[in-house]
Amino acid sequence: MKLGTILASRAALAAVLAIMAGCAASPGGAHTALSPLPVEKPGTAKPGTAEPVTRPAISFGAWKAGFRGRALAAGITAPVFDRAFAGVKVNEKVLELDRYQPEFARPIWEYLDRAVSDKRIADGRAKVAAHRKTLDAIETRFAVDFGVVAAIWGIESAYGAHYGDIPVIESLATLAHEGRRRAFAEPELIEALRIQQAGDVSPDRMVGSWAGAMGHTQFIPTSYQAYAVDFTGDGKRDVWSENPADALASTANYLKRYGWQHQAPAAVEVTLPEGFDYRLADDRTRNNALGWEALGVSHKAGGALPASNEVTILLPTGAQGPAFAVYPNFRAIKRYNNATSYALAVAMLAGELDPSANHGLSRTMTWPRNDRPLSRDETIELQERLTGLGFPTEGADGIIGPNTRAAIRRFQAANGLVPDGYVSAALLERLRQGG
């Protein structure tokens, strides 16, 4: 919802909020259904569980034979298919990683501590220095700031050090055969085969993560097909090469296609005025920078808020944590990975790698580090209790989406709490007590 300049008065705010109360967005869709925080990988998380193993109805050989027919019907040649699938089998590591469900999500401050660590900054500055000519050329061509491209490179693969070693055909074939993710995996497999058929990469070099994300900046095959570019001019879009130019240019192309605004901020830390209406800290409430300043929102580092007509207020940990004004570039980053913590990490790291583009995101900001995230079971309980108390969440799935946050805000407002939509153990305890 765009509010524009009508937010210049408190009276207008009240009227708009009354309208907003009845139009909570559905949690469906490609982005809103995702968890707001990246989860730990096996071996680094707090204790978690694995989903029950469900055996596929057919053998891998039978699935492969059926898929071969579908691939050939889609235009893949028999020699390309047979070469790509030579020796491919079910990869148990992929199944383990796919089924793993961590008990707790990582708190945002822990994620940022690791994603924007001293080592990642130092390594990034060295990589920027080594590849500055290429990064500048990419920025000139795509009008995407080199700092954000380098930051995504650092967060996705530690600047190419760890972009996965699982054969992409095998990982996607494993997921498709297992069945639970067939709707995702089979189209990705077809595109992976098309990439090989085009000669961009040989089967032995086409490696990536357990879910098929590839190269320095972790493109899945369909995204590769849509956005990857041959920046070096060698006739191949090689995102796996020791030379990261194609991968970095592809990332810039992706961000450009999703509306990146050159030399504009993604997010700035702000100070909210006393009496701020926390119901306005919602992605659907967009205002221009002057409108927010008229309501008392100020740039924490001083000076005016950067100009934009599409600014929202973000409170990742509610009223007790830092507040941010976020801009269209923030939403462009979230198209790459739809997690608030990821987008903040990219924006913060970009400012460290290109100090001229640092818009006031400090690594010393104060987070409520004594809080803990709820487990999935606790989140389901929270949703069920909210619904039982007359604040329906439209389902109890353990995922905090816009419907659940809207229900939390209604509960908070009805019980004299700050309506910031923040999920916490204290909120769950309040719900257990009946409000």
Side-chain angles (χ1 to χ4, degrees):
M1 180 178 292
K2 297 180 181 180
L3 300 183
T5 57
I6 65 172
L7 289 179
S9 71
R10 298 278 181 178
L13 282 176
V16 172
L17 286 168
I19 296 171
M20 288 174 59
C23 62
S26 166
H31 298 286
T32 55
L34 297 178
S35 169
L37 289 177
V39 295
E40 299 273 7
K41 295 180 180 179
T44 62
K46 297 177 183 179
T49 60
E51 290 185 350
V53 176
T54 56
R55 295 298 177 189
I58 61 174
S59 70
F60 183 75
W63 169 83
K64 176 182 169 182
F67 177 68
R68 186 179 188 275
R70 295 190 289 278
L72 268 55
I76 305 302
T77 67
V80 166
F81 184 96
D82 294 339
R83 181 186 178 201
F85 271 82
V88 168
K89 59 186 182 302
V90 172
N91 188 309
E92 293 296 333
K93 180 181 178 181
V94 169
L95 293 178
E96 176 191 352
L97 291 167
D98 179 40
R99 292 174 181 142
Y100 181 84
Q101 291 202 354
E103 182 180 356
F104 293 95
R106 190 190 307 179
I108 188 170
W109 50 88
E110 288 187 10
Y111 179 84
L112 293 174
D113 288 347
R114 296 185 187 189
V116 197
S117 65
D118 290 341
K119 176 173 172 51
R120 185 155 291 168
I121 291 169
D123 289 349
R125 288 173 177 167
K127 287 291 185 179
V128 166
H131 296 277
R132 185 59 186 268
K133 183 177 179 180
T134 296
L135 287 165
D136 284 345
I138 289 170
E139 180 169 350
T140 298
R141 176 171 167 181
F142 295 100
V144 175
D145 306 72
F146 79 81
V148 74
V149 173
I152 288 174
W153 184 25
I155 291 173
E156 291 291 347
S157 70
Y159 310 103
H162 307 291
Y163 58 67
D165 58 3
I166 300 175
V168 168
I169 299 298
E170 185 163 283
S171 63
L172 291 172
T174 297
L175 295 175
H177 168 246
E178 195 261 354
R180 198 162 60 93
R181 298 189 188 275
R182 182 171 295 171
F184 159 77
E186 285 209 2
E188 295 297 333
L189 258 176
I190 294 291
E191 295 308 322
L193 290 167
R194 286 199 176 108
I195 292 166
Q196 292 189 12
Q197 188 160 284
D200 280 334
V201 66
S202 59
D204 61 299
R205 290 186 61 237
M206 194 183 212
V207 295
S209 74
W210 68 268
M214 310 178 301
H216 289 266
T217 52
Q218 297 289 277
F219 274 59
I220 59 173
T222 51
S223 292
Y224 174 99
Q225 292 286 63
Y227 306 108
V229 297
D230 171 20
F231 193 74
T232 62
D234 65 355
K236 298 180 180 181
R237 299 177 294 172
D238 192 347
V239 300
W240 303 267
S241 172
E242 183 177 344
N243 178 355
D246 283 359
L248 300 180
S250 299
T251 297
N253 185 46
Y254 185 103
L255 293 172
K256 178 184 178 181
R257 296 276 290 274
Y258 281 106
W260 184 266
Q261 297 178 2
H262 190 220
Q263 296 183 341
V268 300
E269 190 176 1
V270 296
T271 300
L272 302 180
E274 185 177 352
F276 180 78
D277 192 332
Y278 283 88
R279 289 173 292 179
L280 296 176
D282 184 285
D283 188 57
R284 292 166 293 170
T285 305
R286 298 186 185 179
N287 191 9
N288 60 50
L290 291 175
W292 286 120
E293 288 180 331
L295 294 172
V297 177
S298 60
H299 197 315
K300 189 159 188 177
L305 290 177
S308 174
N309 291 324
E310 296 281 334
V311 185
T312 60
I313 301 301
L314 173 68
L315 302 171
T317 53
Q320 60 186 321
F324 304 92
V326 301
Y327 289 75
N329 283 349
F330 192 84
R331 291 182 279 277
I333 297 170
K334 289 188 73 174
R335 293 303 297 257
Y336 211 94
N337 180 322
N338 189 46
T340 292
S341 53
Y342 178 88
L344 276 176
V346 169
M348 290 172 64
L349 183 56
E352 296 288 344
L353 302 184
D354 177 14
S356 68
N358 191 321
H359 296 281
L361 292 180
S362 168
R363 290 200 294 156
T364 62
M365 61 186 67
T366 302
W367 297 98
R369 290 178 179 268
N370 291 328
D371 270 6
R372 68 167 179 85
L374 299 186
S375 68
R376 186 178 181 86
D377 287 345
E378 287 175 323
T379 302
I380 291 172
E381 179 188 351
L382 178 141
Q383 291 170 319
E384 291 173 340
R385 289 185 179 277
L386 280 168
T387 299
L389 290 170
F391 304 93
T393 62
E394 309 302 330
D397 56 4
I399 298 172
I400 301 298
N403 284 341
T404 298
R405 292 202 184 277
I408 291 170
R409 290 177 190 273
R410 292 195 296 270
F411 170 82
Q412 290 170 324
N415 288 275
L417 304 174
V418 175
D420 58 8
Y422 179 52
V423 178
S424 66
L427 175 65
L428 177 58
E429 188 58 35
R430 180 73 177 256
L431 290 166
R432 286 170 174 168
Q433 295 169 7

